[in-house]
Amino acid sequence: MTIHSLGSVLAEHPFFRELPTPHLDTVTGCVSNVVFPPGEFVFREGQAADRFYVVREGRVAVEVFVPNKGPVTIETIEGGEVLGWSWLFPPYRAHFDARALNAVRALELDGACLRTKCEKDPALGYELTRRFNQIIVARLEATRMQLLDLYGRDD
Amino acid sequence: MAATTESAAAALPATDPMRPEPFEVRHVTRETGDTFTLTLVPVAGARSRPFLPGQFNMLYVFGVGEVPISISGDPARPEVLVHTIRAVGATTRAMQKLEKGAWVGVRGPFGTSWPVHEAHGQDVVLIAGGIGLAPIRPALYHVLLHRALYGRVVVLYGARTPRDMLYAKELRDWRSRFDVNVDVTVDRATMEWQGAVGVVTKMVQRSPFDPSAAIALICGPEVMIRYAALGLQQRGMPGSSVFVSMERNMKCAVGVCGHCQFGPFFVCKDGPVFRYDRIQPFFGMREV
């Protein structure tokens, strides 16, 4: 697959939609195509977070291991969504496990490469941070709703 | 769109609405640990109860108490009354102990209904959380019976855990249909669950419907309703196309006692199904 076609795929993903072409070209230089079979870990808790993923197809479970209970899924990420933001913030370590629940096709973005490019191009850095902040806010709201335990017993 | 909820006149009680009539428990289904479904049939001269999707009955456990319960059965089969009930108080706990052959008192049906006729020609989005799937189910039965009259049909259902999901077999059946899009999510799960984990409102954003030509029906906890309606509005759906089923402490069920007052409305008489833009100002109002 050519760099150009990767760029086209990237441009169609909701996370990068309407990203200015120069920025898109810059980001495309840090992208590769990846596939994860069912059950394979995309990343593990504690690993260096030097990548993130824009999921094209499939479902990824974000898990935390609870002693005496095993892995608990706290969220799933599906086609059209983004997986991983620890690459943006020190100490650049994954906070959870991410495991493919079915066949997952994704674009893998090199976080270290992007961080360097964002340092050189603050406009790109601002745009990516703005988009990630929207995701983080949405997930924070979702987590708060989950904490409310809306469907639990009232008494 | 003339977006008003359906007149309940077609299904108002013909006899004294304050007098319960006897029904026999024909079947009990244990849905989850604390939720069960009673199938009731009229006995001792009581009449069957045609109803509209979204309406509720007052169910009376003799000597214990009376509670409002949404009708969760098929409106095309009015000869039986189906109620899915969560055991949360003295009366519903007493209902949980009822067995086949027991009698209960029934008043109803009461209240407004889902706008299944206004939705003709449009996409229908049914959003349910927890036991909120029970009042939504009659609307889905109706839509599926008259499937050609509607555009895309989308069911978004959120539950606490996979074990807390209602109507598991029916959900599988609906998912296997090519003319219904069913998305299920849970708030938490262990690794045996291969489905989605997250809040039901998240599914609104990626759901396949046309917000400019759709009607949404929402039932669940009020916080969920608020966020689901917000998600629909963010996708461009006007509040006049969103309908919600409200829950309040209903006693008389005919708009007399005032127990279920919600702003200027009585939920038992003006609801339980409301057009969202009409009640939105009262959502989150602590005094209401």
Side-chain angles (χ1 to χ4, degrees):
Chain A
M1 186 177 282
T2 64
I3 294 292
H4 177 73
S5 65
L6 272 179
S8 303
V9 173
L10 205 61
E12 287 170 11
H13 193 278
F15 181 74
F16 288 106
R17 197 167 287 154
E18 296 177 12
L19 189 71
T21 305
H23 288 166
L24 200 62
D25 291 342
T26 305
V27 172
T28 303
C30 301
V31 175
S32 57
N33 222 350
V34 289
V35 176
F36 296 94
E40 185 165 312
F41 282 96
V42 180
F43 53 75
R44 304 295 297 264
E45 181 183 348
Q47 278 183 345
D50 49 9
R51 286 168 170 71
F52 74 97
Y53 300 85
V54 290
V55 179
R56 299 173 64 193
E57 285 178 17
R59 177 178 289 153
V60 180
V62 179
E63 300 173 341
V64 60
F65 184 83
V66 180
N68 301 320
K69 193 170 182 182
V72 173
T73 305
I74 54 173
E75 185 182 28
T76 49
I77 304 294
E78 307 196 10
E81 296 185 273
V82 171
L83 173 67
W85 63 61
S86 298
W87 67 277
L88 259 176
F89 308 105
Y92 309 118
R93 295 276 163 192
H95 293 93
F96 300 101
D97 293 334
R99 185 171 56 88
L101 290 178
N102 47 22
V104 171
R105 292 174 62 215
L107 296 178
E108 182 181 85
L109 289 97
D110 184 333
C113 163
L114 265 183
R115 282 200 303 265
T116 304
K117 292 185 175 180
C118 290
E119 292 290 342
K120 291 179 181 169
D121 183 352
L124 170 64
Y126 171 76
E127 188 57 36
L128 284 182
T129 307
R130 191 178 67 83
R131 289 170 187 241
F132 266 99
N133 282 347
Q134 288 175 344
I135 292 174
I136 292 169
V137 167
R139 291 190 188 162
L140 177 62
E141 284 178 357
T143 302
R144 284 173 172 167
M145 281 185 69
Q146 284 170 294
L147 283 174
L148 285 173
D149 195 17
L150 293 174
Y151 312 128
R153 296 177 71 99
D154 296 327
D155 56 350
Chain B
M1 180 186 67
T4 55
T5 53
E6 303 223 349
S7 166
L12 275 177
T15 56
D16 179 0
M18 298 304 289
R19 185 170 62 87
E21 291 192 325
F23 275 64
E24 183 181 294
V25 176
R26 177 60 56 88
H27 191 69
V28 181
T29 307
R30 305 293 167 194
E31 304 284 355
T32 69
D34 61 1
T35 305
F36 55 99
T37 296
L38 298 182
T39 301
L40 308 173
V41 293
V43 289
R47 61 196 172 84
S48 60
R49 308 286 172 124
F51 64 95
L52 298 170
Q55 290 192 299
F56 69 96
N57 282 319
M58 298 297 297
L59 300 190
Y60 178 38
V61 180
F62 299 110
V64 181
E66 189 183 50
V67 286
I69 304 289
S70 296
I71 306 170
S72 51
D74 186 346
R77 294 192 59 215
E79 67 276 11
V80 293
L81 282 180
V82 178
H83 289 280
T84 297
I85 302 156
R86 191 175 189 194
V88 291
T91 305
T92 48
R93 286 199 184 97
M95 281 178 186
Q96 193 177 23
K97 293 174 184 160
L98 295 176
E99 295 179 352
K100 183 179 177 181
W103 283 22
V104 294
V106 175
R107 293 193 293 128
F110 298 112
T112 56
S113 59
W114 298 115
V116 288
H117 294 297
E118 291 173 25
H120 286 176
Q122 303 194 67
D123 293 349
V124 183
V125 185
L126 305 104
I127 306 174
I131 197 167
L133 186 58
I136 287 269
R137 188 169 70 163
L140 182 58
Y141 283 144
H142 179 93
V143 168
L144 295 181
L145 184 64
H146 307 280
R147 184 63 188 85
L149 297 176
Y150 300 93
R152 280 166 287 199
V153 177
V154 174
V155 179
L156 308 178
Y157 178 45
R160 192 185 196 203
T161 71
R163 286 185 308 166
D164 294 310
M165 283 168 40
L166 292 183
Y167 313 137
K169 181 185 177 304
E170 273 187 301
L171 279 169
R172 282 195 298 274
D173 292 344
W174 296 330
R175 290 187 94 154
S176 68
R177 293 177 62 128
F178 293 108
D179 58 353
V180 183
N181 188 289
V182 179
D183 259 339
V184 176
T185 188
V186 296
D187 275 354
R188 65 197 69 163
T190 51
M191 64 183 296
E192 292 78 30
W193 172 250
Q194 298 292 300
V197 176
V199 291
V200 68
T201 52
K202 179 177 161 184
M203 296 192 293
V204 171
Q205 299 309 321
R206 58 168 184 259
S207 181
F209 63 88
D210 176 1
S212 67
I215 273 189
L217 319 179
I218 313 175
C219 189
E222 276 187 35
V223 174
M224 186 221 89
I225 289 176
R226 215 164 64 209
Y227 279 95
L230 181 66
L232 291 167
Q233 288 175 330
Q234 284 171 344
R235 279 198 60 176
M237 186 180 277
S240 58
S241 297
V242 177
F243 294 81
V244 304
S245 181
M246 296 293 295
E247 189 177 323
R248 280 293 183 276
N249 181 22
M250 294 182 271
K251 292 291 184 189
C252 74
V254 290
V256 173
C257 74
H259 275 88
C260 63
Q261 188 166 359
F262 180 63
F265 305 110
F266 289 131
V267 172
C268 70
K269 180 172 66 74
D270 305 312
V273 176
F274 291 94
R275 207 175 81 178
Y276 185 64
D277 58 342
R278 291 185 176 146
I279 60 166
Q280 187 175 6
F282 306 102
F283 262 83
M285 196 180 281
R286 295 179 187 196
E287 294 78 10
V288 173

